[in-house]
Amino acid sequence: MAKKKRGLKEEYNLLTRDLDWDPTFVTREEMYPYTDFEGIKIHNWNNLEDPFRVTVESYVRIQGEKERKFHAIRENIDLLQGQLDMTDARWLEAMKIFSSVALNGEYNAHRLFQFIARHVPSPAIRFAAITQSVDELRHVQNEVLLFNNYNKYYQGFHDWKNYAHRHWLTSVVKSFFEDAQSAGPFEALVAIAFGFEVAFTNLLFVTMGATAVANRDQSYGAVSFTTQSDESRHMTLGMMALRAMIEEDPDNIPIVQKFLDKWFWKAYRAFTVVGYILDYIAPKKVMSWKEAYEMYIEDQVLNGLFKDLEVYGIRKPKYWEQTVQEKEHNSHIAALVLYRLPHVLYFHPFAPTEEDKKWLAEKYPESWENIWSKKWEAFEDPNFDRLYPGLPMVCQTCQYPMFFDEPGQPGFNTAFRTSEHEGEVYHFCSDGCKDIFDDEPDKIKQAWLPPHEIFKGTCGPAEDLANYWGMEPEDGGDYYESVDHQNFEKWKKVRA
Ligand code: FE
Ligand code: ZN
């Protein structure tokens, strides 16, 4: 006898939600030991609905199709030497940064969602977290394959794993994920599902993806496309979790607000380097950091999402005004600082060309002429020593060197905050980073700060840091003097 075909909802319940069970050998509290750790109250875990309702069968089928498409495109690009279609190999400096921070980031997101799937006692969240954790693994693998091809021809891609674990710059993103992984399951969810996925991920895969395509880097374009196609599911999980916490109990509001304040600021700081990529590295520029910030963060997050959350008593994240003010400045600050560090980077920084400067003047009418172009001009003085000597002081919380300016005083006054804890002084780049420390000093004091570790001797002899970081001499230095630049010009001629 033919069986009646099951509806989608019934299928979803059978294959996901009904797999949840009541433990009999242990109590529920023993099975989920972290549920109460952060003070979040959820009265009925079954109230939480996964609006995506994906089943294992449909998940595997859809992801399988994406994979087949992506790998066909990728192999084709590799085979036809698609990298030579690029506007300029300078674009790959962005890919070097991406390879060292994003691969480790995606993998850590994978681990984090395994943790959430294990410890949040809601079948809907658990299942959505499991699929996301598998997505993140797919992202890492695809990105490794992408960089595998670049690595055949260009410097700076050969040891991304070492860079990700040891280099001073990648410590920013590494510490972001380690903070989230060592938090309770609800904070972990807000950190990644809100901070990364809902708020900032568009900047990484939409804006940077469009910029890659404009620079005819079809490989990163394809990776962005397939990665971003998972994002709607990830954002849905982020929003579902956020709403559940907010709606289940009014006592959750101040806790959630604190999570939002912290992770908005942390994600914002971590993404500073994307501004450098959009405004400086990209040979052909599509959208400035300022424009991207207005579109994705101001319009969609601050004035969109947070407007909707107002009715629950949630306000915009602390220091959001400062982030809006800084959109005019921070990419320039990062570019100027990195320009002075070609000897300790695994990619090639450079000064903006005349063409770059024209674009920057157009996009930053309020600050380029008056502040930032003058800072670049200072390097033209032959007596000005480009190389920054010694090690920078870094922020205890975000781990960027202390290069951000005092709010409202761009270009002239580096911001500097301190806190005392157990007789030790800790340093911060901003009020946002200081607040995060002051709230959890015993956690943040344990941060592994590269300059401190170098001084302590845990990174081997100081004169041999390049070796510790896994760098080869050709990895660093100025782009316009690099082997990468020379090779690209040579190969392009041969091909034409
Ligand atoms: Fe991902
Ligand atoms: Zn900071």
Side-chain angles (χ1 to χ4, degrees):
M1 212 166 50
K3 276 191 192 136
K4 205 175 130 255
K5 206 173 175 308
R6 283 188 294 266
L8 252 181
K9 179 157 188 189
E10 194 191 347
E11 178 115 345
Y12 168 78
N13 282 339
L14 279 170
L15 290 171
T16 56
R17 304 197 57 147
D18 292 354
L19 295 179
D20 198 50
W21 72 95
D22 285 319
T24 50
F25 295 129
V26 292
T27 62
R28 240 187 135 73
E29 289 68 37
E30 282 172 309
M31 185 150 97
Y32 298 112
Y34 299 145
T35 316
D36 301 325
F37 173 67
E38 297 154 287
I40 292 283
K41 293 177 189 156
I42 305 282
H43 300 287
N44 186 354
W45 289 101
N46 285 320
N47 282 349
L48 276 59
E49 283 272 1
D50 169 8
F52 237 86
R53 287 213 192 106
V54 65
T55 60
V56 174
E57 188 277 327
S58 65
Y59 174 74
V60 171
R61 184 171 37 76
I62 294 167
Q63 297 303 87
E65 271 163 31
K66 284 186 201 169
E67 284 290 276
R68 268 193 300 281
K69 267 189 213 140
F70 168 72
H71 291 294
I73 294 169
R74 182 185 57 76
E75 278 163 18
N76 208 28
I77 296 166
D78 292 359
L79 213 67
L80 298 172
Q81 294 290 356
Q83 34 98 12
L84 293 177
D85 292 331
M86 270 185 305
T87 47
D88 190 87
R90 200 179 89 182
W91 166 252
L92 293 181
E93 305 312 321
M95 292 296 101
K96 294 173 193 176
I97 299 175
F98 186 87
S99 74
S100 57
V101 298
L103 287 175
N104 190 50
E106 304 267 28
Y107 182 69
N108 276 308
H110 156 74
R111 290 180 56 195
L112 188 105
F113 278 100
Q114 287 282 321
F115 170 71
I116 292 166
R118 168 65 185 83
H119 287 290
V120 175
S122 141
I125 290 188
R126 299 183 68 192
F127 189 75
I130 287 174
T131 56
Q132 177 154 359
S133 103
V134 178
D135 293 339
E136 301 299 354
L137 213 50
R138 181 175 90 86
H139 300 169
V140 191
Q141 289 168 346
N142 288 344
E143 286 155 16
V144 170
L145 283 165
L146 163 78
F147 299 124
N148 177 29
N149 190 51
Y150 294 147
N151 183 40
K152 291 180 194 156
Y153 310 101
Y154 302 95
Q155 306 298 321
F157 288 106
H158 56 89
D159 211 355
W160 52 268
K161 217 164 72 223
N162 233 359
Y163 301 156
H165 287 293
R166 297 181 162 189
H167 195 268
W168 63 271
L169 185 64
T170 58
S171 205
V172 168
V173 174
K174 192 174 170 232
S175 69
F176 178 100
F177 281 98
E178 285 174 353
D179 187 350
Q181 280 169 342
S182 51
F186 294 103
E187 183 180 344
L189 247 177
V190 173
I192 308 303
F194 166 78
F196 240 77
E197 308 286 358
V198 175
F200 283 91
T201 197
N202 277 326
L203 296 174
L204 208 52
F205 294 113
V206 181
T207 315
M208 241 176 87
T211 306
V213 172
N215 285 284
R216 297 192 295 277
D217 175 7
Q218 306 301 346
S219 301
Y220 185 76
V223 154
S224 289
F225 187 72
T226 193
T227 304
Q228 189 66 22
S229 71
D230 291 344
E231 293 306 327
S232 50
R233 233 180 326 102
H234 299 179
M235 288 182 188
T236 309
L237 169 58
M239 287 313 297
M240 162 181 69
L242 200 59
R243 272 185 202 286
M245 286 185 245
I246 291 169
E247 286 173 359
E248 279 281 315
D249 200 296
D251 289 353
N252 293 346
I253 303 291
I255 304 172
V256 172
Q257 182 73 57
K258 205 166 77 179
F259 292 163
L260 292 170
D261 288 345
K262 173 179 175 182
W263 291 99
F264 181 80
W265 184 259
K266 283 204 83 157
Y268 164 68
R269 269 298 189 244
F271 271 74
T272 303
V273 75
V274 177
Y276 170 59
I277 292 172
L278 299 179
D279 287 347
Y280 282 83
I281 296 183
K284 186 172 163 48
K285 303 179 207 308
V286 172
M287 191 186 247
S288 68
W289 168 253
K290 184 182 169 184
E291 289 167 324
Y293 203 79
E294 284 167 357
M295 184 162 164
Y296 291 108
I297 307 298
E298 288 181 62
D299 292 355
Q300 290 186 13
V301 180
L302 294 172
N303 300 324
L305 172 67
F306 278 95
K307 190 108 205 88
D308 297 341
L309 296 179
E310 254 173 31
V311 288
Y312 300 101
I314 294 279
R315 50 155 178 77
K316 285 180 187 162
K318 232 172 156 184
Y319 307 116
W320 70 269
E321 299 97 328
Q322 186 183 338
T323 71
V324 170
Q325 197 179 54
E326 287 180 349
K327 71 185 174 190
E328 185 77 33
H329 309 292
N330 281 7
S331 65
H332 313 294
I333 298 175
L336 282 155
V337 170
L338 294 171
Y339 180 68
R340 298 196 64 192
L341 301 168
H343 51 310
V344 288
L345 291 170
Y346 49 87
F347 57 91
H348 307 299
F350 56 88
T353 62
E354 289 312 308
E355 204 185 319
D356 294 328
K357 286 180 187 164
K358 231 181 88 198
W359 186 87
L360 288 163
E362 237 171 70
K363 296 292 176 182
Y364 293 94
E366 287 152 51
S367 64
W368 181 255
E369 215 52 62
N370 296 332
I371 307 170
W372 305 113
S373 70
K374 294 199 178 97
K375 300 267 176 192
W376 284 108
E377 276 163 29
F379 289 110
E380 288 161 20
D381 176 351
N383 295 318
F384 193 100
D385 192 1
R386 171 178 174 183
L387 300 189
Y388 179 86
L391 300 172
M393 175 185 274
V394 302
C395 172
Q396 182 77 27
T397 303
C398 73
Q399 302 211 8
Y400 270 106
M402 307 276 279
F403 58 46
F404 297 102
D405 284 318
E406 199 59 62
Q409 299 172 37
F412 303 101
N413 195 355
T414 301
F416 187 80
R417 301 285 182 275
T418 57
S419 283
E420 227 188 284
H421 178 65
E422 298 167 337
E424 288 273 345
V425 179
Y426 296 87
H427 305 276
F428 312 98
C429 73
S430 54
D431 294 315
C433 284
K434 178 180 155 62
D435 283 5
I436 293 168
F437 176 88
D438 289 344
D439 191 53
E440 280 182 294
D442 288 320
K443 179 176 186 182
I444 316 285
K445 75 178 183 193
Q446 302 173 56
W448 196 95
L449 300 180
H452 292 205
E453 297 301 323
I454 291 166
F455 280 129
K456 280 198 264 174
T458 49
C459 307
E463 41 317 326
D464 207 17
L465 277 174
N467 186 38
Y468 173 75
W469 290 329
M471 277 170 57
E472 281 166 12
E474 297 80 18
D475 293 352
D478 194 282
Y479 174 71
Y480 289 100
E481 288 155 18
S482 70
V483 187
D484 285 347
H485 177 59
Q486 287 157 21
N487 280 344
F488 185 76
E489 297 286 305
K490 199 165 68 194
W491 294 335
K492 261 201 119 142
K493 271 196 205 108
V494 173
R495 196 200 210 192

